C-alpha cells in the first residue's frame, strides 16, 4: 500500500502506536485504523500550530465499508458506534457536537483531545509532542489515512476593522445635541431593487435553526450546499430577530403575513379559547387548520392569499384547507409522505425527508412560482437531545443540507434555478445546549397549585388541585420558554375566563379564602418553596412577566424593584412609537418611581445600548418607532423587545363585524437562561422525551433567527449588519416577485441591503 | 365502588385486559410526588398529596391505538412502486437507493427537457393526471376504510378532478392553436367566452379537492376522538384493576 509506504514503523511505548513521518516533505499520513499516532513534532506551550488537510484527499473507509467514507472533516451522516467518541467522552451517544470519524489532535500522551478536522489554527494548549488521531472509539477495521500538512507558524490575521453600523452615524446625527447637523441631501427617489422578470421564490424554512450553528457546521465542511448557495453566493442578514414570544406559530404567522400579532392576532401556539371555553393546542393535528381559519376570519392576508395561483408548499405549521395549485395539494402530500416514511406513524420521525420529497414535486412544476418548504426536524430533535444544536441535532442539520441540495438540483435540471430567489429562514433560535443543559419548571404545581390552589388545563393534560372545586380552572400553555397564563377574572372562583385581567386586577387577586395576592409577583418570583432569592435573579426560572396596564401600556415585571412600563402611541404618520420607562414598585394610580439601573431588559446597564443611542437619558425620555428601538438594542441581550412586547397585548387587526378577537393571556411569562416551562412528570403520555434546548424566551439566543438570501441581483458573500426581523420577509418576497411591497401595508419593510448596488 | 360491582366488572376487566394486552397496549401508573409548600416567611409548611394517574397513550409505541389507526389508513397510500423499491433495497447492500422511483423521476426530468410546445404539454399533463406511478397496492381497501358506505374511492375522485383539469387545459391548447386559422386576433373561441367557463370549472375543481381534504381530516380527527375515548375507558378499566390490589 502506497499510503503506508511513507509511514515508518516505529514501536514506541505502546504497540498500537506508529510514528508518522512525512510522506512528502511537510505532508503527514495519519492512519485511520489506530486511535493515536505521534507526529514527532515537539511543541512549546502556546506555540503556533497550523494543521491543514491536503487538497483532494483520498477517502477513508470506516470499518472498511465502501459506502462509509470520510475525509479529515469526519461526518454527521452515519454513526455505526454505540459508545462515546474519544473527542467527547462525557457526552452520551447521539448527543455530540463534533462529527464522528474526524481528524483530532492532542499534545502529549495524556493531552485533552481537540478537534482538527480539515483545518486547525491556534496555540498549543500545553508543551509536548503533537499526536493526531481519528475520532472513532473502534478504529481497528478502518482503511486509508488522513493526509495533512503541519506547520508551527502562520501569518497573524490583520486586526479586523471596526464593524461599520448605520446606527452609529445615524444616531450621532439624530440624537447627540453636540453632533454637527446633517446636511440635508437633495430629495431624490430611493432607487428600487430590480428583481428578474418571471422570478421564483423558494423559502426554505428550517425550524429553530441557529445561525451560529449552521455557519460553524459550514466552516467545518459539513454543509456544502448551504455554503455554496448562501455563504459564498448569497447574503447573510446576521441580525435578524423573531417577534416575541419566540414560538413557532407566532413567528410563522409574522413570516407569512408581514405583521406583528397586534394585526394578525396569533398570540400563542396554544391558548384558552375564552369564547368557546376550550383549550386549543395549535400544534396538534386536530387544530392544523385552526390558525389559518382564524387569520381568514380576522381578514388577515397571508402568503397563500398574495399568490393564489402560484403559491404551493409542503405541509406547514398550520394551513388552510385549500388546494393552492391544483394537483399539488395536501392529499398528494399525504400520499408522498406515507411512501417516503414507509408507514404513516413514521411520518413525524421523517418529516424532513417527507417534505423534501414533496418539495421535488413542487420544484418540478412550472405552475409553482412561490414555494415554501418547512423542515421541522431540527426543532424536534433539538428539543429532545440535552445539547440540542451543540449535540444530537447536528446529524439532522447535516441531512438538511442534503435536502437543500436536492431541491437546488431539481430546479437546475428544470432550468428554473437562474431566476429563483432562495431564502433560508428559521422562525426563532434555540436556547441551551452550548454551556447549559436546560431544566424544567412546572408552573402548574409550583404556582397554580401551591398558591392559587387551582385546577389547570395545559398543553399536556388537565392537572387538578386535590380538593379544589371543579369549576376553579386556569390555563397555561406549558411547553417551551414562554407561556401565557389564563386565570379567572378578579379571583380564583369567579369562573369567568371570558376576558383577561388587567395589572390592577392581577395585583389584588382574590384567593379562595378571601385574601388577596399579587398574582404577577407570584408567577414571576415564586416557586412552591417561596420567593426565589432576590440577590441572584440569574438562578430562578422566570426571566420576567408582562401584563397589560391599560390599552396602550404594559408592565414588565422582573422583581418589585426591577420593572418597566412600555407605552405606545401613534405618531403623525400613523406609525406606532414606544417609550420604555424603567420603574420600581409600580402601582396603578400611584406616581411612578423611575430607576436608572437594573431595568428588566438590561438596557440601562448595556454598553452596546449606550454606544448605539449615545445619550441614554435623552433617548429614554422620548418615544421611538419599533425600527428605531431594534436599531438601538440589536447588540444587547434583548434585541427589539420593546415594540414586540407592547404590541403583543394589543389587537389592532382588520376588524369586521364578525371578526373574532384573539384570546389573549393575562400574564406572559418568559423563561430565564437554563429553564423551560414544562412539567417534570408527564401525565399525558407513557413516553417521556428528554429535555433539550428550547425557544420562546426573550433573550438573544432564542430570538436570533437564520436569514440567508441568494439569487439574481443579490449580493454574494456578504454579511449584512443592519438589523431586521421576521415581519420583513413577506414584503421582501413580494418585492422579489415584482410586486409593490408597500401596497399591502404590512408592518415589515423589504430588506434593501441584500440587493447589489443598493447599499 | 362497592364489592358487588367490582365482582361484576372483574370478568369484563379480565377480558378487556386480555384483549388490549394482546394488542400490545401497555399502561403506566404514575404517582406524582407530594408538593411541599413553604410560606414566603419560611415557616408553615403545607403538603399537597396527589392521587395516582393511569397513562395509556404512548406516542412512541407502534401498538398505540392512534398509531395503529394511522398505519392502517396509511397502508392504502402505499405505492406499488414503493413496495417494489423496498424489496429491491432490502436485498441490495448499502443505504436505500429507491431505484424505480428514481428511474421514474429521471424519465420525468428528461421529458421536461423536450421543447415547450402544445403536444408535449398535453401528453405530459395526461400522464400527470393519470398518476400511473402513484397507483397504490391496496386501493380497494381505501374504499372500505375511508368510505365504507361510498362505492367510489376518494383516490379515484382526485384522479377524476385531475383529468377534468387536463381536458380543460387541452381544450385551451387546441383553442389557442386553432386561433392561428381564424382572421381575428387571439384564440379561436374568444377569451370573453372561455374565461367564465374556465373560472367555473376551476372553482369546482378546487372545491372538490378542498372537500376531499376536509373529509379526510374530519374522519381522521373523528377516529382520534373515538380512540381517546377508548383509551380513557381502558384507563378506567385498568384503574379498577389496580385499585383492587
Ligand atoms: Zn419553530
Amino acid at each position: 500500500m502506497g499510503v503506508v509506504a511513507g509511514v515508518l514503523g516505529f514501536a514506541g511505548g505502546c504497540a498500537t502506536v506508529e510514528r508518522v513521518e512525512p510522506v512528502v516533505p511537510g505532508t503527514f499520513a495519519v492512519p485511520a485504523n489506530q486511535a493515536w499516532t505521534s507526529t514527532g513534532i515537539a511543541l512549546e506551550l502556546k506555540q503556533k500550530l497550523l494543521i491543514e488537510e491536503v487538497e483532494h484527499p483520498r477517502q477513508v473507509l470506516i470499518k472498511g465499508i465502501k459506502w462509509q467514507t470520510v475525509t479529515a472533516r469526519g461526518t454527521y451522516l452515519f454513526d455505526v458506534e454505540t459508545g462515546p467518541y474519544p473527542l467527547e467522552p462525557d457526552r452520551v451517544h447521539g448527543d455530540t457536537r463534533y462529527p464522528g470519524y474526524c481528524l483530532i489532535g492532542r499534545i502529549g500522551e495524556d493531552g485533552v483531545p481537540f478537534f482538527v478536522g480539515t483545518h486547525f489554527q491556534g496555540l498549543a494548549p500545553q508543551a509536548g509532542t503533537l499526536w493526531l488521531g481519528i475520532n472513532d472509539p473502534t478504529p481497528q477495521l478502518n482503511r486509508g489515512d488522513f493526509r495533512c500538512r503541519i506547520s508551527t507558524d502562520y501569518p497573524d490575521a490583520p486586526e479586523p476593522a471596526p464593524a461599520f453600523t448605520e446606527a452609529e452615524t445615524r444616531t450621532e446625527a439624530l440624537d447627540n445635541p453636540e453632533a454637527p447637523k446633517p446636511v440635508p441631501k437633495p430629495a431624490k427617489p430611493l432607487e428600487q431593487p430590480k428583481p428578474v422578470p418571471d422570478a421564483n421564490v423558494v423559502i426554505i424554512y428550517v425550524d429553530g435553526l441557529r445561525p451560529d450553528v449552521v455557519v460553524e457546521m459550514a466552516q467545518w465542511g459539513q454543509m456544502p450546499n448551504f455554503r455554496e448557495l448562501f455563504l459564498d453566493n448569497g447574503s447573510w442578514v446576521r441580525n435578524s430577530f423573531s417577534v416575541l414570544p419566540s414560538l413557532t406559530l407566532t413567528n410563522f404567522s409574522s413570516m407569512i403575513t408581514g405583521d406583528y400579532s397586534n394585526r394578525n392576532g396569533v398570540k400563542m401556539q396554544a391558548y384558552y379559547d375564552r369564547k368557546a371555553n376550550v383549550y386549543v393546542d395549535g400544534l396538534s393535528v386536530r387544530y392544523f387548520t385552526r390558525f389559518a381559519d382564524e387569520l381568514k376570519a380576522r381578514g388577515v392576508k397571508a402568503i397563500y392569499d398574495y399568490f393564489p395561483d402560484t403559491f404551493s408548499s409542503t405541509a406547514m405549521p398550520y394551513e388552510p384547507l385549500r388546494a393552492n395549485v391544483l394537483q399539488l395539494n395536501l392529499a398528494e402530500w399525504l400520499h408522498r409522505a406515507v411512501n417516503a416514511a414507509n408507514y404513516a406513524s413514521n411520518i413525524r420521525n421523517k418529516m424532513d425527508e417527507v417534505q423534501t420529497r414533496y418539495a421535488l414535486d413542487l420544484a418540478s412544476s412550472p405552475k409553482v412560482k412561490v414555494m415554501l418548504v418547512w423542515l421541522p426536524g431540527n426543532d424536534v430533535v433539538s428539543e429532545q437531545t440535552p445539547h440540542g444544536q451543540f449535540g444530537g441535532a447536528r446529524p439532522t442539520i447535516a441531512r438538511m443540507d442534503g435536502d437543500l441540495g436536492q431541491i437546488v438540483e431539481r430546479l437546475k435540471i428544470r432550468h428554473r434555478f437562474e431566476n429563483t430567489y432562495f431564502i433560508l429562514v428559521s422562525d426563532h433560535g434555540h436556547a441551551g445546549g452550548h454551556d447549559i443543559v436546560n431544566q424544567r419548571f412546572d408552573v402548574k404545581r409550583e404556582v397554580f397549585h401551591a398558591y392559587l390552589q387551582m385546577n389547570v388545563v395545559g398543553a399536556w393534560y388537565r392537572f387538578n388541585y386535590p380538593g379544589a372545586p371543579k369549576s376553579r380552572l386556569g390555563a397555561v400553555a406549558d411547553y417551551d420558554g414562554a407561556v401565557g397564563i389564563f386565570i379567572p377574572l378578579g379571583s380564583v372562583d369567579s369562573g369567568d375566563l371570558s376576558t383577561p385581567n388587567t395589572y390592577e386586577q392581577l395585583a389584588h387577586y382574590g384567593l379562595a379564602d378571601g385574601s388577596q395576592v399579587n398574582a404577577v409577583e407570584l408567577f414571576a418570583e415564586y416557586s412552591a418553596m417561596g420567593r426565589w432569592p432576590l440577590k441572584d435573579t440569574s438562578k430562578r426560572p422566570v426571566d420576567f412577566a408582562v401584563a397589560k396596564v391599560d390599552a396602550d401600556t404594559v408592565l414588565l415585571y422582573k422583581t418589585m424593584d426591577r420593572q418597566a412600563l412600555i407605552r405606545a402611541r401613534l405618531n403623525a404618520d400613523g406609525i406606532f412609537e414606544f417609550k420604555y420607562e424603567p420603574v420600581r414598585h409600580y402601582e396603578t394610580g400611584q406616581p411612578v418611581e423611575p430607576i436608572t439601573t437594573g431595568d428588566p431588559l438590561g438596557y440601562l446597564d448595556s454598553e452596546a445600548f449606550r454606544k448605539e443611542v449615545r445619550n441614554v437619558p435623552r433617548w429614554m425620555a422620548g418615544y421611538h418607532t419599533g425600527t428605531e428601538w431594534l436599531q438601538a438594542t440589536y447588540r444587547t441581550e434583548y434585541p427589539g423587545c420593546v415594540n414586540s412586547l407592547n404590541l403583543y397585548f394589543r389587537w389592532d387587526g382588520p376588524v369586521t363585524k364578525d371578526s373574532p378577537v384573539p384570546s389573549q393571556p393575562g400574564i406572559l411569562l418568559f423563561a430565564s437562561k437554563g429553564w423551560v416551562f414544562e412539567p417534570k412528570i408527564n401525565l399525558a403520555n407513557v413516553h417521556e422525551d428528554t429535555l433539550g434546548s428550547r425557544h420562546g424566551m426573550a433573550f438573544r439566543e432564542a430570538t436570533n433567527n437564520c436569514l440567508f438570501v441568494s439569487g439574481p441581483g443579490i449580493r454574494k458573500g456578504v454579511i449584512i449588519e443592519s438589523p431586521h426581523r421576521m415581519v420583513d420577509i413577506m414584503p421582501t418576497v413580494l418585492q422579489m416577485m415584482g410586486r409593490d411591497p408597500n401596497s399591502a401595508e404590512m408592518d415589515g419593510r423589504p430588506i434593501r441591503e441584500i440587493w447589489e448596488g443598493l447599499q | 365502588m362497592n364489592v358487588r360491582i367490582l365482582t361484576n366488572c372483574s370478568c369484563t376487566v379480565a377480558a378487556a385486559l386480555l384483549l388490549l394486552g394482546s394488542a400490545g397496549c401497555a399502561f403506566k401508573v404514575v404517582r406524582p410526588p407530594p408538593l411541599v409548600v413553604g410560606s414566603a416567611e419560611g415557616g408553615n409548611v403545607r403538603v399537597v398529596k396527589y392521587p395516582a394517574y393511569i397513562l395509556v397513550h404512548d406516542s412512541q409505541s407502534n401498538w398505540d391505538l392512534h398509531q395503529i389507526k394511522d398505519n392502517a389508513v396509511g397502508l392504502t397510500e402505499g405505492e406499488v412502486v414503493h413496495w417494489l423499491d423496498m424489496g429491491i433495497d432490502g436485498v441490495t447492500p448499502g443505504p436505500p437507493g429507491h431505484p424505480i422511483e428514481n428511474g421514474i423521476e429521471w424519465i420525468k426530468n428528461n421529458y421536461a427537457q423536450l421543447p415547450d410546445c402544445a403536444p408535449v404539454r398535453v401528453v405530459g399533463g395526461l400522464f400527470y393526471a393519470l398518476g400511473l406511478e402513484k397507483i397504490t397496492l391496496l386501493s380497494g381497501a381505501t374504499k372500505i376504510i375511508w368510505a365504507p358506505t361510498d362505492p367510489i374511492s376518494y383516490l379515484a375522485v382526485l384522479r377524476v378532478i385531475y383529468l377534468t383539469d387536463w381536458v380543460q387545459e387541452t381544450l385551451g391548447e387546441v383553442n389557442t392553436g386553432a386561433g392561428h386559422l381564424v382572421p381575428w386576433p387571439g384564440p379561436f373561441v374568444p377569451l370573453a367566452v372561455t374565461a367564465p367557463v374556465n373560472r367555473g370549472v376551476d372553482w369546482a375543481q378546487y372545491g372538490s379537492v378542498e372537500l376531499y381534504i376536509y373529509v379526510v381530516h374530519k374522519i381522521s380527527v373523528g377516529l382520534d376522538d373515538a380512540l381517546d375515548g377508548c383509551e380513557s375507558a381502558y384507563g378506567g378499566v385498568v384503574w379498577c384493576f389496580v385499585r383492587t390490589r
Side-chain angles (χ1 to χ4, degrees), chain A residues 205 207-208 246-249 269 374 379 427-428 430 695:
Chain A
Y205 161 22
D207 206 300
S246 54
L247 297 170
T248 297
L249 297 193
Q269 49 197 32
W374 179 44
D379 187 71
D427 46 353
H428 45 74
H430 248 261
H695 53 92

Side-chain angles (χ1 to χ4, degrees), chain A residues 39-269:
Chain A
T39 62
I41 296 172
L43 294 167
E44 285 165 24
L45 177 65
K46 301 219 169 139
Q47 188 173 358
K48 281 182 176 177
L49 175 62
L50 175 67
I51 309 171
E52 286 175 300
E53 186 174 39
V54 297
E55 278 162 40
H56 314 297
R58 283 215 284 182
Q59 304 272 326
V60 162
L61 270 58
I62 297 302
K63 318 301 173 211
I65 293 172
K66 68 172 186 234
W67 55 83
Q68 293 179 4
T69 56
V70 296
T71 59
R73 70 169 66 104
T75 187
Y76 292 104
L77 296 177
F78 63 87
D79 173 7
V80 292
E81 310 306 319
T82 50
Y85 280 84
L87 192 53
E88 295 163 281
D90 302 334
R91 289 281 180 97
V92 295
H93 189 252
D95 189 32
T96 56
R97 174 175 184 177
Y98 295 97
Y101 316 115
C102 61
L103 181 64
I104 55 177
R106 73 181 184 199
I107 312 282
E109 273 194 67
D110 307 322
V112 177
F114 57 90
F115 174 64
V116 176
T118 51
H119 183 97
F120 174 90
Q121 180 176 324
L123 303 178
Q126 63 188 82
T129 306
L130 173 66
W131 295 65
L132 293 174
I134 181 166
N135 189 27
D136 182 349
T138 56
Q140 295 77 11
L141 297 176
N142 297 341
R143 283 187 4 222
D145 51 37
F146 298 131
R147 302 268 174 121
C148 57
R149 277 185 289 271
I150 303 170
S151 165
T152 51
D153 195 23
Y154 51 81
D156 285 312
E159 284 284 301
F164 168 80
T165 79
E166 291 86 326
E168 282 170 7
T169 47
R170 193 187 54 83
T171 44
E172 178 140 18
L174 278 183
D175 224 60
N176 181 354
E178 286 88 48
K181 288 279 163 282
V183 185
K185 283 187 200 149
K188 67 169 185 188
L190 212 55
E191 204 189 331
Q192 290 305 315
K194 294 183 186 64
V196 287
D198 196 30
N200 308 302
V201 174
V202 175
I203 303 169
I204 310 279
Y205 161 22
V206 188
D207 206 300
L209 184 64
R210 285 178 63 128
D212 53 348
V213 167
V214 69
V215 168
E216 178 180 90
M217 287 177 65
Q219 282 166 347
W220 292 354
Q222 306 291 341
M223 310 288 293
N225 297 304
F226 166 78
R227 182 175 188 141
E228 187 183 340
L229 188 59
F230 293 111
L231 294 188
D232 298 344
N233 291 297
S235 297
W236 175 17
V237 184
R238 172 155 62 186
N239 291 296
S240 176
F241 299 97
S242 52
V243 300
L244 293 181
S246 54
L247 297 170
T248 297
L249 297 193
T250 45
N251 277 281
F252 173 65
S253 303
S254 288
M255 187 195 298
I256 63 169
T257 63
D259 288 330
Y260 287 94
S261 68
N262 66 313
R263 290 181 65 206
N264 67 35
V266 179
K267 301 288 179 181
M268 219 71 216
Q269 49 197 32

Side-chain angles (χ1 to χ4, degrees), chain A residues 700-754:
Chain A
R700 186 180 195 91
E701 231 187 312
T703 61
N704 186 199
N705 66 294
C706 280
L707 182 51
F708 299 89
V709 189
S710 171
I714 301 292
R715 295 164 75 193
K716 295 183 194 322
V718 295
I719 298 175
I720 288 156
E721 286 294 326
S722 53
H724 284 280
R725 44 194 340 160
M726 201 55 72
V727 291
D728 296 340
I729 290 169
M730 196 55 220
T732 306
V733 171
L734 285 183
Q735 189 154 60
M736 287 168 166
M737 291 299 289
R739 307 269 191 92
D740 177 3
N742 301 315
S743 62
E745 295 189 339
M746 295 171 188
D747 291 334
R749 289 287 162 265
I751 305 170
R752 267 180 75 77
E753 303 90 324
I754 54 175

Side-chain angles (χ1 to χ4, degrees), chain A residues 3 7 20-23 27-31 37 145-148:
Chain A
V3 171
V7 182
V20 196
E21 292 295 325
V23 268
T27 302
F28 288 81
V30 183
T37 309
D145 51 37
F146 298 131
R147 302 268 174 121
C148 57

